[in-house]
Amino acid sequence: MQIPAINGSGSEIVHKQLAYAKKLGIPVRLRVYVERIIRDEDGRVKGLQVREGYRFPNAQSGKVKSIKAKKAVILCHGGFGADVNYRMKHDPKLTDKFDTTNQPGATSELWREASRIGGNLIQADWIQCGPWNSPEEKGMGVALYFAQGAAATQGIWIDCATGKRFVNELANRKIRADAVITNNNKGHTCIALADQTAVDLTIQKSRPGILDKQLERKVVHKFATLEDLAKQYNVPMDALQATIADYNKHQAEGTPDEMGRKIYKGAQAIGTGPWYCSILSPKVHHCMGGLETNSKGQVIDVSSDKPIPGLYAAGESTGGVHGAVRLGSCAVLDCLANGRIAGRKAAQEQNWS
Ligand SMILES: Cc1cc2nc3c(=O)[nH]c(=O)nc-3n(C[C@H](O)[C@H](O)[C@H](O)COP(=O)(O)OP(=O)(O)OC[C@H]3O[C@@H](n4cnc5c(N)ncnc54)[C@H](O)[C@@H]3O)c2cc1C
């Protein structure tokens, strides 16, 4: 496999980890589906039942094998954001109407299996939706870089039915996603809006080329005048102008606006066309809940509140790390820090056999 020198995504971290694992002679097994966690009568986790040669999503594919864990098993099966049935058990509003930013394999089998063998599942209904996504593209997409990077910082988010802002565009993800969902449930479309100045001061600088891509994919839309934009989305023009005037008043005074948003450093008055917007539609993004672990990464037993011998967990499969709303950029840090702790502690276990 040709590994590029450097890239700006999370795969850069994984490439480095893979190279190091190779150096240490640690095998990486692909297409191996973990079907069962083997917990013995003495309470210890002693291995896994897997399907080698598994083909997603066929649960019957591959050859069943057992793998003995001499010291311990570390679970790191991620979240279940793509599993509509399971996520609806925890948060019934997250029906199949909601797309997800997750890959299709973000499913629940190991969440169920870890529960079955006694792992204590906590806060599983704390499922975060990304507030900035667009329904005009699948998955995470690219519109969010406009909605968050330009409109939330130096523009506004508005409810098209009223022409008014409805949330602090820099509030946490839950507050913003809930506000959009509330409006959507009333049949109201919400859009992120920014003018040319805002776009020039933000994404044109921080992500050169992204605006062209967003326009090309028709997930960010460009209008010569504010009237054209308002007409397209049935926004009452008077109310929209009043909303912008109010923003500009606070921008000029440097005072927080009615939603409590502080004026972003360097932000200018809104008013220079052309105008840009993207439609907002929250997508299921991150599972804050998961297996309860202690500071060593050991999984806690639901019946005893004590660690399950031989079982560790890290990353999105664990719960209680991020509270109700995880902060952007902190998930990978959680995975790396707690993954290292769990790995180190598991390696220090005595060989039980
Ligand atoms: C689009 C997107 C952008 C993000 N951007 C950021 C960011 O900028 N910064 C940040 O900190 N976080 C970000 N996150 C969150 C972060 O990427 C995840 O929380 C993190 O990758 C989780 O890592 P993990 O190793 O715990 O799980 P995952 O990376 O989800 O890996 C778990 C793996 O286990 C596999 N698996 C599941 N069940 C089984 C089974 N039974 N048998 C075998 N394999 C199984 C899954 O298919 C998956 O490959 C982003 C998430 C998404 C979706």
Side-chain angles (χ1 to χ4, degrees):
M1 180 175 54
Q2 191 65 35
I3 298 176
I6 195 151
N7 71 57
S9 83
S11 62
E12 180 68 17
I13 300 170
V14 178
H15 286 148
K16 293 278 191 303
Q17 290 173 323
L18 282 175
Y20 198 60
K22 193 174 171 193
K23 196 170 146 197
L24 295 178
I26 298 168
V28 176
R29 302 179 198 212
L30 301 176
R31 299 204 180 286
V32 179
Y33 174 71
V34 180
E35 200 167 39
R36 291 256 163 193
I37 300 165
I38 300 163
R39 188 175 184 191
D40 221 341
E41 280 166 7
D42 62 5
R44 187 174 188 93
V45 167
K46 293 184 174 169
L48 299 171
Q49 179 181 303
V50 303
R51 285 181 175 268
E52 266 187 11
Y54 168 74
R55 288 277 162 180
F56 179 83
N58 180 1
Q60 298 310 309
S61 60
K63 200 169 158 208
V64 176
K65 279 199 174 174
S66 297
I67 299 176
K68 183 172 156 187
K70 289 184 194 146
K71 295 187 171 193
V73 167
I74 304 174
L75 296 174
C76 50
H77 45 268
F80 56 78
D83 193 325
V84 176
N85 174 27
Y86 193 71
R87 78 188 189 209
M88 280 182 68
K89 288 180 196 291
H90 295 289
D91 187 344
K93 79 170 178 299
L94 297 178
T95 64
D96 59 4
K97 276 200 323 200
F98 287 79
D99 189 8
T100 178
T101 62
N102 293 187
Q103 51 97 9
T107 50
S108 65
E109 297 86 3
L110 271 173
W111 287 70
R112 296 168 191 262
E113 179 61 6
S115 295
R116 184 189 69 77
I117 60 110
N120 190 26
L121 205 55
I122 55 170
Q123 300 157 6
D125 56 339
W126 291 0
I127 304 168
Q128 180 176 87
C129 289
W132 9 246
N133 295 118
S134 164
E136 297 186 292
E137 60 188 340
K138 290 294 255 177
M140 190 68 152
V142 293
L144 83 153
Y145 299 117
F146 167 80
Q148 176 66 27
T153 56
Q154 304 210 18
I156 47 177
W157 289 10
I158 61 161
D159 176 346
C160 293
T162 63
K164 294 182 178 170
R165 292 173 57 218
F166 56 92
V167 74
N168 173 346
E169 294 86 347
L170 292 175
N172 72 44
R173 292 175 180 181
K174 177 168 171 49
I175 287 175
R176 290 184 290 164
D178 286 352
V180 178
I181 292 167
T182 301
N183 283 332
N184 287 170
N185 286 346
K186 288 190 269 183
H188 298 187
T189 300
C190 295
I191 57 170
L193 185 156
D195 68 354
Q196 186 68 49
T197 305
V199 162
D200 287 343
L201 287 170
T202 55
I203 51 174
Q204 293 283 58
K205 278 190 183 162
S206 60
R207 291 183 182 267
I210 194 76
L211 184 63
D212 290 342
K213 197 183 272 183
Q214 291 162 334
L215 292 168
E216 202 176 288
R217 292 191 189 177
K218 297 187 171 42
V219 295
V220 171
H221 307 280
K222 184 176 178 179
F223 297 88
T225 66
L226 190 60
E227 287 77 6
D228 291 345
L229 184 150
K231 202 168 158 204
Q232 176 69 29
Y233 295 99
N234 291 323
V235 188
M237 192 58 192
D238 290 352
L240 181 56
Q241 278 171 328
T243 300
I244 292 174
D246 186 66
Y247 173 89
N248 287 342
K249 176 176 157 288
H250 289 286
Q251 187 273 331
E253 291 169 354
T255 51
D257 58 40
E258 58 178 321
M259 299 291 170
R261 181 175 66 158
K262 287 188 184 150
I263 297 299
Y264 210 72
K265 204 172 163 200
Q268 301 296 310
I270 299 175
T272 318
W275 299 79
Y276 300 86
C277 74
S278 67
I279 303 176
L280 297 167
S281 178
K283 295 184 184 178
V284 177
H285 186 57
H286 189 91
C287 295
M288 259 86 50
L291 289 165
E292 183 187 4
T293 49
N294 62 15
S295 59
K296 295 176 184 163
Q298 292 171 296
V299 175
I300 302 301
D301 191 321
V302 68
S303 55
S304 66
D305 274 350
K306 295 206 171 89
I308 296 177
L311 189 63
Y312 292 77
E316 203 172 328
S317 64
T318 63
V321 177
H322 297 279
V325 195
R326 102 163 152 79
L327 293 174
S329 302
C330 294
V332 167
L333 191 64
D334 160 27
C335 297
L336 293 174
N338 288 312
R340 283 173 71 98
I341 292 169
R344 192 170 290 141
K345 293 295 172 192
Q348 288 165 0
E349 291 252 355
Q350 296 298 314
N351 189 340
W352 57 267
S353 59

